[in-house]
Amino acid sequence: ITTESGATADSVSIFRLTFGQAAPIFETDDPIRRIQAFCDTSCRAGDGSEKIVIDSIDAADAAELVAALVEMATPDKDLSFEGDGVSHPMVYTLRHPIKLTSTQDLTQFEFSARTLGQISGFLNAEGEVASFREFMRGFSAIVGVPMPVTDSIVDALDIQDYANVKEHIMGKLTKSR
């Protein structure tokens, strides 16, 4: 694999993605752009400091990188929640807590059904990224921390937490039962 500095490397380090870092991956259907966005944000060659030149990756290596991305973004198979989201909030515990301050972590969100008027932003959102951000702002609250759910909080979610919320919670609160 060739790095941006022109060096070659035999190994690639892959770092965990946040939802904000993964957003460009979700916003395109072009497989080359997806691999490029993934490599730009999460893959480094050699000692972990050099960006990869995407054109230097052979098809087998690209397939391995895609497999790593898919594995990171695969939701847990079975999750159970306190509450149903209607009579009682659904509480989700993050697999990867978000550091808010040096002494405070965000570890849980609660999700509740909302009225149409409360979720107009979600209903009008276009695309996967905008829909998820609006879902989080409209349907969730941070447990134990008196602050709103902002885009910066949503963007800090680990990609696995995003996948879990999307797979196991979003549909329960936004689709017909």
Side-chain angles (χ1 to χ4, degrees):
I1 293 175
T2 304
T3 66
E4 283 187 333
S5 70
T8 58
D10 294 328
S11 63
V12 173
S13 298
I14 299 173
F15 302 94
R16 293 203 65 80
L17 282 168
T18 65
F19 175 73
Q21 292 169 324
I25 298 167
F26 301 137
E27 290 176 330
T28 183
D29 291 328
D30 181 332
I32 301 299
R33 285 190 177 162
R34 281 188 173 182
I35 294 169
Q36 180 71 57
F38 178 54
C39 288
D40 285 349
T41 57
S42 294
C43 304
R44 295 295 178 265
D47 66 359
S49 63
E50 293 247 21
K51 281 191 170 187
I52 297 167
V53 174
I54 190 82
D55 295 339
S56 73
I57 300 173
D58 66 35
D61 289 339
E64 284 187 48
L65 291 173
V66 169
L69 172 60
V70 167
E71 184 179 325
M72 275 194 274
T74 298
D76 293 331
K77 289 194 185 323
D78 296 311
L79 286 179
S80 59
F81 303 98
E82 299 170 24
D84 60 6
V86 178
S87 57
H88 299 289
M90 296 173 73
V91 176
Y92 173 71
T93 300
L94 296 174
R95 298 292 182 257
H96 303 274
I98 298 169
K99 184 148 285 298
L100 297 174
T101 67
S102 62
T103 59
Q104 187 175 36
D105 289 345
L106 187 164
T107 59
Q108 293 181 317
F109 285 95
E110 64 180 23
F111 296 86
S112 298
R114 302 289 193 236
T115 65
L116 284 178
Q118 293 171 314
I119 61 164
S120 62
F122 171 76
L123 295 173
N124 293 318
E126 293 185 26
E128 183 175 344
V129 171
S131 292
F132 186 75
R133 284 186 179 131
E134 290 293 339
F135 173 79
M136 290 299 294
R137 282 196 300 262
F139 289 84
S140 73
I142 299 169
V143 175
V145 181
M147 66 183 288
V149 177
T150 62
D151 282 351
S152 60
I153 294 290
V154 176
D155 285 351
L157 281 173
D158 183 86
I159 193 170
Q160 185 184 23
D161 288 312
Y162 153 75
N164 284 337
V165 169
K166 183 178 177 200
E167 178 73 17
H168 299 289
I169 298 171
M170 198 169 170
K172 289 181 181 180
L173 296 176
T174 62
K175 296 190 168 109
S176 63
R177 295 177 216 173

